[in-house]
Amino acid sequence: MKTLNLDWVKFADRLQLWVMLSVPARVDLLELKDGQWLPRQLFSVEEEKILMSEMLLRLSPNGKQVGITELGKPFFHALRSMKECLLPRDSNVDDLLKYLEKHFHPQEYEALLTAPTKKKKRNDYEQPLVEAWVRQITACKSVEDARQWERIHLPPEQTKPTPQDPAPFFDDPDVLHALQRLLNEANKWRGPAVLRDIAAALPNVAPKIINRAVMAGVRYLLLFVSMDGPSLEPIIGLWPAIIHQRIESNIAMPSPVKPQETFHAPFLVEDMLNTLVAASGEPLRLLANNYGLYQKDLDRLAQGNLPMPGWLADKSAGEHESRVYAAIHACRNLKLLKEVTDDRRRRCYDITPAGRDWLGLEMKERLRALIEPWRRLPEKKKKVKYRHAQLDAMTSEAYDLVMGHDSKSPWIPESIGYGFSGLEKVDFRAAFIDCLLQEDREAFFPYSELLQYHCRANNPLLGKRVKGSYGPTPRCYHYGRNKQGETALREDWYQALGTMIEKTMMPLGAVEFGNTKGQYSLRLHSIGRYMLGLDDDFSLDTRPQGDVIIQPNFEVVFLGHAPAAEAVLGRLGQRIGHGMGALFRLTRESILTAAAAGIRADDALNQLTQISSKPLPDNVRREVAGWFATTAMIQLRHTWIVEAPDEPTALRVLAAAGKEARQLTPTLLELPGAKSKKTELARKLKKQGVFIM
C-alpha cells in the first residue's frame, strides 16, 4: 500500500494530539509539503509544544519557521491522502476507483477487483462486491477459510509477507476474530467512527492484534478510512453506501412532531409585487452585455423582498439574487414586465398595463393566477420522432408561466428529465400527494425522514407504491445511474422531492415549514391541497403571529413573525430593520413610490388599519392621506412640430397630414409622433415638392 501501511495503534494515539489543534492549524499542516516551511505565528504556543513533543515538526535554522520531520512524514502523508479521498454517503464506483488509485499500488487493486472465477475487470466492479466480502470474512470459521479467501485477493508475488506489505494477516486466529468483531460492530454504526477511538470497539484486545486487524480490514477493502470534511478528523467504517442502504431499509413512516416556530408565506407573489412596485417608480436597468440587472437595482429589489427567518435561510429558494430573478422571470412570463429602451437607449424593464392591473387584484387572485396551471392535466401533444423535439413540443404551460422549465407535465421534476424515458406515462402528481398528504391536516412531520421514507416506499422511479401503481416504471438508460442501482434511484427521487418542495411549492405557499429542535418539519397547506387538485378552493391566512404596532412617529414595530404584514409594509414603507422591532418607517417618499405603482389612498389606509394591532394613529392617517392627495397622474406623448417657411406651405402640410394635425400658429403645426406616420407624410409632401429637412 502507498500511504496506509501504518502502525494503526500508534497512529490513533497521535490523533489524540491532532484533535488538540485548532481547525485552521490542521488546514495549514495538511497543505504543508515536504521540505516546505510555515511561519511559527500560525500556531499557538500550546499547539507548537504538542507537535514538537512528538517530534512531528522541527524548527528552521533561523528559528522563525517550522517544517515536517522525517518521523512526521508518514503521519502527515496519511492525513493528506485521507483528506484527498473523502467518501460521501452516496459514494459510487468512481469514488472507489479514486480511493484505490490513491492508497494502493496498481497490482494490488487489480488483484482486489479481479475474481479468478469470473475474470472481472476494474470497470466491472460494483458496490455489492464489497458487501459480499464483509459477509464472507465474518462467516469464516477457521484460519484456513480466511487464508484461502486472502490468497484470492493478493497479487501472485505477494502471497508471502514483504517489508512493504506485511500480508498475510489471517495466519493468526486472534487477528481474524478481532477483525470479525470489528466488522460486526461497524455494521451497527449509523456512519463512520472516529479513528482515534477504534480501540474502544475492541476492549480487552492487545494493541498488536488491534493494529493487524485494522490493517487487514483496510488492506482488503473491508474497512475504509477517510476524513470528516468540516473537522478534518480521520474516520473509519464500512463502505458508506452499505450503511446508508441498511439505514434506508429499516426506515419507517416518521411520527408527527410539534414545531417551536413555523413559517408560511407565498413569497414569490410578494417578490413579484415588490418588483412591479419598484419598476413602476423607476425602470430596472439592464446590463449592456447580458440580461442581468445593474447591481444598484438588484440590491434595491433584494432589500425589498420578504426576508426569511434565520433558521430557514438555506431553504428559501436560494440566494437573494436568485429570488429577484425568479420574480422577474415570473413577471415577464405573465407579461407584467416588458423590456424597453429609454431615451438614452439603455435597456431596462418597465411595468406594463397588465402589470398595473395585476397590482390592483386581491392577494388571493394574484396567487390563483400562478397556481391554476398546476391543477390542469397536461394536454396531449402530437408525437414527434426525436426526444429533444418531444420536450420542446410538450412544454408545460405551468412551467412557462412560473418557472420556465421544459417538461411534458408540470409535475415531472426537472432534475430527472434526463437519463430516463417514459416519464410522461407516470402519475408524478400522485407521488407528490402520497408524500405530502396526511390524515391529520395540522400535523408536522420531520422533513428529511419523510422524504427518505417515501423514496423507499413510494418511488415512481423504482415502480414502488404502497397502494396501487403510478403507471409504467420509467426506463433509466444513463450508464452512471445503472451502475449505482437502486440506491442512486432513491437519491434521484429524494432530490426531486426536495427540489419541487423547496423551489416551487414553498415560494407559492403550498407547504409550511417548521423548526423542531433545530430540525426541519413540514406540512401541506391549504394552498398545496388546491395546487395538487385535492380541493376546489384554498384559504389564505394573513393573521400575524405577533402584534404589529404602527406608532405616531410613523415607525412600524413587529412583536412577532408576520410575513403578510411585512409584505404590505414593503410596498408602503421604508425598511429600517429585520427580524423583530422597528422594521419599517412610513415616509413621504415611500408613499409616493406606492402611488406611482397605482396603489390608492383608501386601499393603503385600509391595509394599514388591518395589519395594525392597535387603532391607526390619527396623525399617521392624516399624513398618509395628505401625501397621497399631493399625487397626480399625467401622460407624456411624443409629437412632431412642423415649422413651415410661410403660411401657404403650412396649409399644404395641414392638408396632407389630415385630421390628426393641428395648426398652432400660421406657420407652426403639431403632428402625432408615430414614426410610421412621419414616413407616410414625407412621401405625400415629396409629391407636392415639400421636403423635410
Side-chain angles (χ1 to χ4, degrees), residues 350-582:
D350 198 3
I351 189 171
T352 66
R356 295 188 182 278
D357 294 340
W358 196 76
L359 287 175
L361 295 176
E362 295 291 334
M363 175 64 180
K364 188 173 180 178
E365 296 308 311
R366 300 189 195 110
L367 182 57
R368 192 189 301 275
L370 294 176
I371 294 178
E372 196 62 33
W374 292 86
R375 292 170 48 82
R376 293 196 289 268
L377 293 175
E379 298 179 2
K380 292 184 178 180
K381 302 290 183 178
K382 181 180 178 182
K383 274 194 172 183
V384 288
K385 185 174 181 181
Y386 300 106
R387 175 170 173 77
H388 69 84
Q390 288 179 348
L391 289 174
D392 292 340
M394 298 182 182
T395 299
S396 162
E397 181 183 359
Y399 274 53
D400 281 345
L401 291 180
V402 184
M403 296 300 178
H405 298 317
D406 288 340
S407 176
K408 301 175 185 179
S409 164
W411 290 104
I412 297 180
E414 187 188 19
S415 61
I416 62 172
Y418 300 97
F420 293 89
S421 62
L423 297 178
E424 70 281 358
K425 299 179 181 179
V426 181
D427 190 355
F428 282 100
R429 176 154 61 179
F432 281 93
I433 291 174
D434 285 343
C435 179
L436 296 170
L437 184 62
Q438 306 296 337
E439 292 184 5
D440 185 356
R441 293 193 180 191
E442 302 300 320
F444 282 83
F445 287 84
Y447 180 51
S448 179
E449 289 84 347
L450 183 68
L451 267 57
Q452 289 175 9
Y453 169 77
H454 286 286
C455 287
R456 182 177 63 86
N458 295 303
N459 189 333
L461 303 184
L462 294 172
K464 292 184 177 181
R465 189 180 189 185
V466 173
K467 297 180 180 180
S469 170
Y470 296 118
T473 304
R475 186 173 67 87
C476 172
Y477 58 82
H478 190 277
Y479 174 79
R481 296 178 187 272
N482 282 332
K483 298 303 289 184
Q484 296 176 44
E486 183 172 326
T487 300
L489 294 176
R490 289 181 181 177
E491 291 290 336
D492 286 340
W493 187 236
Y494 185 95
Q495 179 184 359
L497 287 172
T499 301
M500 183 69 78
I501 290 171
E502 296 170 22
K503 307 302 183 185
T504 300
M505 300 188 76
M506 180 184 175
L508 293 173
V511 293
E512 184 174 0
F513 271 90
N515 181 15
T516 307
K517 297 181 180 180
Q519 301 296 321
Y520 294 124
S521 53
L522 182 80
R523 75 175 175 188
L524 185 65
H525 193 269
S526 171
I527 298 172
R529 294 179 62 89
Y530 180 77
M531 184 175 177
L532 287 163
L534 300 172
D535 291 342
D536 295 331
D537 199 2
F538 63 91
S539 60
L540 191 62
D541 187 6
T542 59
R543 293 172 298 176
Q545 297 178 5
D547 288 342
V548 177
I549 301 174
I550 300 178
Q551 301 183 128
N553 63 354
F554 297 91
E555 290 187 354
V556 185
V557 177
F558 283 67
L559 302 181
H561 188 53
E566 283 198 60
V568 171
L569 268 301
R571 300 188 292 275
L572 297 176
Q574 175 187 356
R575 182 176 287 278
I576 57 176
H578 294 278
M580 294 191 187

Side-chain angles (χ1 to χ4, degrees), residues 22 27 54 93 185 309 314 320 326 330 332 335 386 389 433 461 478 481 503 511 516 519 526 586 605 649 674:
S22 65
V27 172
E54 285 291 314
V93 179
E185 288 296 320
D314 64 334
H320 291 298
R332 292 204 66 192
K335 296 181 171 50
Y386 300 106
I433 291 174
L461 303 184
H478 190 277
R481 296 178 187 272
K503 307 302 183 185
V511 293
T516 307
Q519 301 296 321
S526 171
L586 298 174
L605 291 173
T649 303

Side-chain angles (χ1 to χ4, degrees), residues 550 554 568-569 571-572 586 591 594 599-612 614-629:
I550 300 178
F554 297 91
V568 171
L569 268 301
R571 300 188 292 275
L572 297 176
L586 298 174
I591 294 299
I599 299 176
R600 296 177 300 180
D602 292 343
D603 294 335
L605 291 173
N606 289 337
Q607 290 175 345
L608 292 174
T609 302
Q610 290 175 4
I611 65 175
S612 180
K614 296 183 178 180
L616 194 65
D618 291 336
N619 69 312
V620 173
R621 182 182 296 275
R622 185 172 56 254
E623 287 296 326
V624 169
W627 290 331
F628 271 105

Side-chain angles (χ1 to χ4, degrees), residues 137-138 169-170 172-186 198-199 201-217 223:
I137 284 295
T138 53
F169 297 99
F170 300 138
D172 187 337
D174 291 338
V175 174
L176 174 61
H177 296 155
L179 179 58
Q180 288 175 332
R181 287 178 55 187
L182 187 57
L183 293 175
N184 288 330
E185 288 296 320
I198 196 64
L202 296 173
N204 303 321
V205 178
K208 181 180 179 180
I209 301 300
I210 294 176
N211 178 61
R212 296 197 69 199
V214 173
M215 185 64 196
L223 293 170

Side-chain angles (χ1 to χ4, degrees), residues 84-95:
E84 293 170 2
C85 284
L86 302 182
L87 296 177
R89 185 182 67 174
D90 56 346
S91 299
N92 55 28
V93 179
D94 293 335
D95 295 317

